Amino acid sequence: KSGLDPGGAWHAWGMACLKAGNLSSAREKFNRCLKPPMDLNQLNQGSRLVQDVIQYLESTVKPILIADDDYFATLKELETTLRTRSLSLEMMCEGKIQQNSYYQECLFYLHSYGTNLAIISFYMRHDCMREALLHLLNKESPSEVFIEGIFVPSYESGKLHMLENLLETIDPGLESWGVYLIAACKYLQRKNYYHILYELQQFMKDHVRAAMTCIRFFTHGAKSYTELGGKQTWLLKIKDHLKVYLQEVSRSSGRKKMTFTFRKKMSATDVSRHINTVDLQMEVTKFLHRCEGSGTSQMTGSPLPTLFGNNNMKMDVACKVMLEGKNIEEGFGIAFRVLQDFQLEATEVYSKVAKQLVKQQKYSEIRQLLKCVNESGVAAKNDGDNIILNCLNEFKNIPAEDLDNLIQDMDSDENKIQAYVMCNKLRSAYLVSVRQEKTRAVQLVQHVRQLAENSGDDVVKAICAQWL
């Protein structure tokens, strides 16, 4: 008569029937006020009314006692009980749910009015992980339901191994779990739970991704190569994962089809390249670790460069190796291999090193660097000259004697003239100019005369004019 929603009254009546133990009558009353959710895959436990019913039913069930309520049960009995319980968890779960009318009642309401997440959470609460997984598969629920309903509760309660065993039992190839496992990996990565992620990747036999996680363990948070020296076991693990992957690829290439759809794929050439990178990183780590230990290390930059970064970072590694040895020659071999393996811009790296050496006033080391570059066998004709010109461009205050030595080391007269001009040594520029072939010499001397006039150097201007 008053036009009020009768749902509340039916619900209260249904609850009263439940409390009186009249289960069939309760079903009839609830049928008038409970509705199935629009979307079974929504990420919640369903309506509040359904949750109240389930909560009441669960609270009514007497917990099944595993052992007799005997405080003086011997440790041996307790141990046996625990062992048999863990073995027969699955059986006990099914038995518990099938024998108990209240649990059956819960399932009736959940299947009629609950979401998939609510059903799965119910199974998980009652140690029925297998049923939860089978329900997930049968309903083809999205991966969010797996993560919230099964995966997170499993690792939070320390049952990740049990979950892995069940996944493998239900589908030994894990193919039907692929979407869910990849989603779980992404979830763990977002949360920065890298140790659980690594454990899961190993279970999935996803060796390429496991290797990538090991790279993170090796590089993350390290402030020095002394620290990285202590983390070299991760480099060995990266190699192990990549080698196992290579074996698997070569084994399966004989078969027609490779089924590992959800595991990360990589070509054999790429994998071999990565293995070489790891080997080279090991050499770099040992070398720089030793340098830091002996106190020759000066260059500190953040973040710490490794060969797992981009090309700029790899160039920083090459610079670091050359600058941190006892002398340039000591680290040049490793640095040269880094430049070759990754096809980096060698002149840029050498110029960077030379500039650092000027800052440290190690002028003789620059000459040693040029010697190494020329002897490397792949330097272009003007590489050495360009390294010196790049230095002079930035530093005008190199002591006269060292400056002369550097310029004398240059190959091309044209470059020597350019260097002298850059350092405002016009007389020296004139002396090299007049040694050139006549037509070119006239052009060069005219240029030097012009510069002398501009800078007010009357002596050089007069010499040039006289020669011309």
Side-chain angles (χ1 to χ4, degrees):
K1 281 178 183 175
S2 57
L4 293 173
D5 176 22
W10 286 117
H11 188 262
W13 196 351
M15 289 302 281
C17 292
L18 274 189
K19 288 171 185 173
N22 189 347
L23 300 181
S24 57
S25 189
R27 281 190 187 193
E28 184 201 331
K29 306 296 179 282
F30 284 128
N31 188 33
R32 293 171 182 268
C33 62
L34 297 180
K35 296 199 169 38
M38 299 287 282
D39 173 15
L40 288 173
N41 286 320
Q42 57 196 38
L43 286 184
N44 58 42
Q45 300 286 339
S47 75
R48 185 68 256 172
L49 301 179
V50 178
Q51 289 179 55
D52 289 346
V53 173
I54 302 299
Q55 245 165 359
Y56 174 75
L57 286 168
E58 282 183 312
S59 66
T60 315
V61 181
K62 299 277 184 291
I64 295 180
L65 290 173
I66 294 157
D68 291 337
D69 196 4
D70 179 1
Y71 296 109
F72 304 106
T74 64
L75 283 173
K76 205 167 214 58
E77 281 171 353
L78 191 59
E79 193 185 341
T80 320
T81 308
L82 287 172
R83 195 183 305 116
T84 51
R85 182 185 184 215
S86 64
L87 289 173
S88 61
L89 201 55
E90 197 181 309
M91 283 159 40
M92 189 190 102
C93 154
E94 283 178 0
K96 177 165 88 173
I97 279 186
Q98 279 158 8
Q99 288 159 13
N100 193 299
S101 55
Y102 279 89
Y103 279 122
Q104 285 302 312
E105 211 58 21
C106 284
L107 286 173
F108 166 76
Y109 286 107
L110 285 168
H111 281 287
S112 306
Y113 311 109
T115 58
N116 284 326
L117 182 59
I119 297 168
I120 284 168
S121 302
F122 174 79
Y123 282 133
M124 291 295 285
R125 276 199 302 281
H126 298 289
D127 288 334
C128 298
M129 196 186 280
R130 183 190 173 83
E131 279 65 25
L133 287 168
L134 291 172
H135 183 83
L136 180 88
L137 267 193
N138 292 339
K139 300 293 177 191
E140 296 180 351
S141 291
S143 44
E144 293 80 8
V145 174
F146 169 73
I147 288 171
E148 201 172 312
I150 299 176
F151 185 69
V152 174
S154 294
Y155 77 70
E156 282 182 349
S157 59
K159 289 180 181 168
L160 192 56
H161 280 299
M162 185 177 155
L163 171 62
E164 290 172 350
N165 291 339
L166 277 172
L167 292 175
E168 220 163 15
T169 311
I170 295 169
D171 176 2
L174 299 179
E175 283 304 313
S176 45
W177 303 115
V179 181
Y180 299 118
L181 289 169
I182 293 294
C185 289
K186 285 179 180 166
Y187 167 83
L188 292 170
Q189 206 166 354
R190 275 199 308 276
K191 289 279 191 183
N192 286 335
Y193 294 163
Y194 283 94
H195 287 280
I196 305 176
L197 173 66
Y198 182 51
E199 145 91 28
L200 189 62
Q201 286 166 337
Q202 289 180 92
F203 161 71
M204 291 159 67
K205 298 187 173 55
D206 194 347
H207 294 291
V208 175
R209 286 195 182 97
M212 290 156 96
T213 305
C214 291
I215 290 176
R216 190 191 182 276
F217 283 134
F218 175 70
T219 54
H220 186 69
K223 297 279 184 288
S224 70
Y225 262 88
T226 309
E227 273 182 59
L228 286 184
K231 295 166 102 179
Q232 288 186 74
T233 45
W234 288 114
L235 292 177
L236 295 171
K237 284 184 178 174
I238 298 169
K239 269 182 78 169
D240 290 344
H241 284 301
L242 294 176
K243 281 177 176 170
V244 171
Y245 177 77
L246 271 184
Q247 286 164 2
E248 285 182 1
V249 171
S250 61
R251 266 206 305 272
S252 62
S253 60
R255 301 177 208 147
K256 282 182 185 169
K257 183 170 171 279
M258 197 174 170
T259 48
F260 307 139
T261 48
F262 64 90
R263 298 176 179 91
K264 191 167 177 64
K265 292 187 182 64
M266 195 178 268
S267 71
T269 20
D270 280 351
V271 175
S272 306
R273 210 162 34 86
H274 286 305
I275 291 175
N276 287 342
T277 302
V278 174
D279 285 334
L280 199 47
Q281 180 63 53
M282 274 179 159
E283 265 188 78
V284 168
T285 307
K286 283 174 186 156
F287 178 78
L288 291 175
H289 184 198
R290 197 175 69 238
C291 293
E292 284 181 6
S294 63
T296 54
S297 165
Q298 306 111 340
M299 190 180 160
T300 49
S302 60
L304 195 65
T306 69
L307 298 178
F308 299 119
N310 58 19
N311 277 358
N312 285 339
M313 198 184 251
K314 287 170 184 143
M315 287 160 102
D316 288 346
V317 171
C319 292
K320 200 171 170 63
V321 168
M322 279 191 263
L323 288 165
E324 298 207 355
K326 287 197 291 288
N327 51 40
I328 288 292
E329 209 168 352
E330 191 186 17
F332 188 83
I334 297 176
F336 183 69
R337 273 179 50 211
V338 170
L339 297 175
Q340 289 290 294
D341 279 13
F342 299 107
Q343 299 178 326
L344 301 172
E345 196 49 66
T347 320
E348 197 181 322
V349 173
Y350 298 142
S351 297
K352 223 173 175 182
V353 171
K355 285 172 189 173
Q356 280 295 120
L357 292 170
V358 174
K359 274 185 189 166
Q360 296 165 13
Q361 299 183 345
K362 294 182 174 175
Y363 303 108
S364 60
E365 289 285 301
I366 297 177
R367 298 179 75 182
Q368 188 173 27
L369 171 67
L370 296 173
K371 180 170 167 283
C372 289
V373 171
N374 290 328
E375 288 171 359
S376 68
V378 293
K381 188 173 184 300
N382 277 338
D383 277 1
D385 290 8
N386 289 335
I387 292 166
I388 295 173
L389 288 172
N390 282 336
C391 276
L392 299 182
N393 216 355
E394 222 163 288
F395 303 99
K396 307 291 182 218
N397 52 354
I398 298 172
E401 191 185 338
D402 293 305
L403 185 62
D404 275 339
N405 287 338
L406 283 175
I407 296 176
Q408 288 303 321
D409 281 350
M410 293 173 99
D411 287 328
S412 132
D413 280 350
E414 293 271 346
N415 288 336
K416 283 181 185 172
I417 295 165
Q418 193 186 336
Y420 282 130
V421 166
M422 277 164 81
C423 302
N424 220 17
K425 289 178 168 290
L426 298 180
R427 188 188 172 85
S428 304
Y430 161 78
L431 290 172
V432 181
S433 298
V434 295
R435 294 206 304 264
Q436 307 311 302
E437 178 269 320
K438 235 343 164 265
T439 343
R440 183 70 184 130
V442 171
Q443 289 172 341
L444 290 167
V445 173
Q446 280 174 336
H447 179 58
V448 172
R449 183 182 68 170
Q450 188 60 51
L451 290 171
E453 194 177 324
N454 294 349
S455 62
D457 189 336
D458 294 335
V459 179
V460 174
K461 181 186 165 189
I463 298 171
C464 290
Q466 189 181 353
W467 186 87
L468 288 165

